[in-house]
Amino acid sequence: MVSRGYLASLKDASDWLGFHAKGCTVITCLPDGTLLCSSTERFRLINLMGSKVNQSNIRILNILDLFGNVFWIARVSFGLAESCGGGETGGYSTLALALGRLNHVAIATPDLKKASAVYRDVLGAQVSPPEDLPQHGVTVVFVNLNNTKIELLHPYGNASPIQKFLDKNKDGGIHHICVEVEDIQSAVNHLEQNGSVRVLDRKPKIGAHGKPVVFLHPKDCGGVLIELEQV
Ligand SMILES: C[C@@H](C(=O)O)C(=O)SCCNC(=O)CCNC(=O)[C@H](O)C(C)(C)COP(=O)(O)OP(=O)(O)OC[C@H]1O[C@@H](n2cnc3c(N)ncnc32)[C@H](O)[C@@H]1OP(=O)(O)O
């Protein structure tokens, strides 16, 4: 049986693939458990389905014609696969939603100019100009870091969803974290089926990066408001 934790090394991945889908070769095993695989036959890759990987989790990336042989290169993600482990999870969830990279940490601030100046002039970060997002009731400034972003948030309009937060936290503070997912609708469906974490939006909205986003209730996520963004 396979799980994301189990597929921690190229050897594990090759063993698993060799066993479950003969005729496929693992090119590399990415840190998130995704496999890059090749096969001379497309159907061999699709055969991975028999090993609890949905067809939608297999993306054909490239088709190469080398020395008269056609090679299919695919990305096989285990992120949305159902639990298929059994004691070999190595600390990973087997019912994973496929959380990806940390996209940003959002900080609500009562004074956007002052906060931008601290990050730009004192802390030496690259800071974007402010952008009003009326559909979200916020003005945002992005502080670009090497590995992620900080999103400075200030209320826009009279009904801003961050106003109550600022009323409670007069100096501002960390408002939410945003984590990337590959397919937001699958993520929402998964959460609705699971039922223990409320999704705050009936339909995904378009977020600050022009991509679909939803928010998850902080009371169901250990006191942290979580935004999921499709990438
Ligand atoms: C542009 C976009 C993007 O990045 O793409 C954005 O950022 S938009 C960023 C702004 N948009 C959003 O935040 C949308 C999602 N937010 C919401 O739907 C709302 O703000 C809620 C999170 C549901 C809270 O709304 P509600 O009116 O219920 O306020 P409330 O003050 O009564 O909160 C209910 C309970 O949740 C807690 N609570 C509220 N906001 C919280 C937060 N940010 N982090 C952690 N806990 C929080 C409160 O302390 C309270 O706990 P106690 O009951 O224990 O006192």
Side-chain angles (χ1 to χ4, degrees), residues 50-138:
S51 315
K52 294 217 181 195
V53 176
N54 295 325
Q55 188 155 354
S56 60
N57 288 345
I58 301 181
R59 268 196 209 157
I60 305 289
L61 298 179
N62 215 335
I63 304 167
L64 302 175
D65 190 346
L66 295 175
F67 315 115
N69 284 322
V70 177
F71 286 91
W72 299 80
I73 314 288
R75 187 175 188 279
V76 183
S77 157
F78 293 87
L80 291 170
E82 285 181 9
S83 169
C84 41
E88 298 150 343
T89 59
Y92 288 89
S93 161
T94 53
L95 232 191
L97 171 80
L99 285 185
R101 289 178 349 124
L102 175 68
N103 185 279
H104 62 262
V105 174
I107 298 178
T109 173
D111 189 334
L112 201 49
K113 255 192 175 171
K114 196 169 153 191
S116 302
V118 169
Y119 282 98
R120 189 185 51 236
D121 304 334
V122 182
L123 300 174
Q126 191 215 336
V127 171
S128 77
E131 189 186 343
D132 295 333
L133 299 175
Q135 68 279 27
H136 288 282
V138 290

Side-chain angles (χ1 to χ4, degrees), residues 175 197-198 200 215-226:
H175 181 262
V197 172
R198 280 165 288 173
L200 288 165
F215 284 86
L216 312 182
H217 205 295
K219 288 289 171 193
D220 302 335
C221 302
V224 178
L225 177 61
I226 299 180

Side-chain angles (χ1 to χ4, degrees), residues 104 106 133 136-138 140 142 151 153 160-162 164-165 168-169 174-176 178 200-201 205-209 211 213 215-219 223-225 227 229:
H104 62 262
L133 299 175
H136 288 282
V138 290
V140 295
F142 279 103
E151 181 186 61
L153 292 175
S160 172
I162 68 167
K164 263 197 200 170
F165 181 90
K168 279 191 189 166
N169 304 277
I174 294 182
H175 181 262
H176 68 262
C178 175
L200 288 165
D201 312 84
K205 283 183 179 165
I206 297 302
H209 304 107
K211 310 258 177 73
V213 301
F215 284 86
L216 312 182
H217 205 295
K219 288 289 171 193
V224 178
L225 177 61
E227 179 181 18
E229 176 173 314

Side-chain angles (χ1 to χ4, degrees), residues 131-168:
E131 189 186 343
D132 295 333
L133 299 175
Q135 68 279 27
H136 288 282
V138 290
T139 303
V140 295
V141 162
F142 279 103
V143 179
N144 292 308
L145 308 179
N146 276 344
N147 57 347
T148 188
K149 292 180 280 277
I150 296 172
E151 181 186 61
L152 301 175
L153 292 175
H154 186 72
Y156 177 96
N158 300 326
S160 172
I162 68 167
Q163 190 56 60
K164 263 197 200 170
F165 181 90
L166 278 174
D167 292 343
K168 279 191 189 166

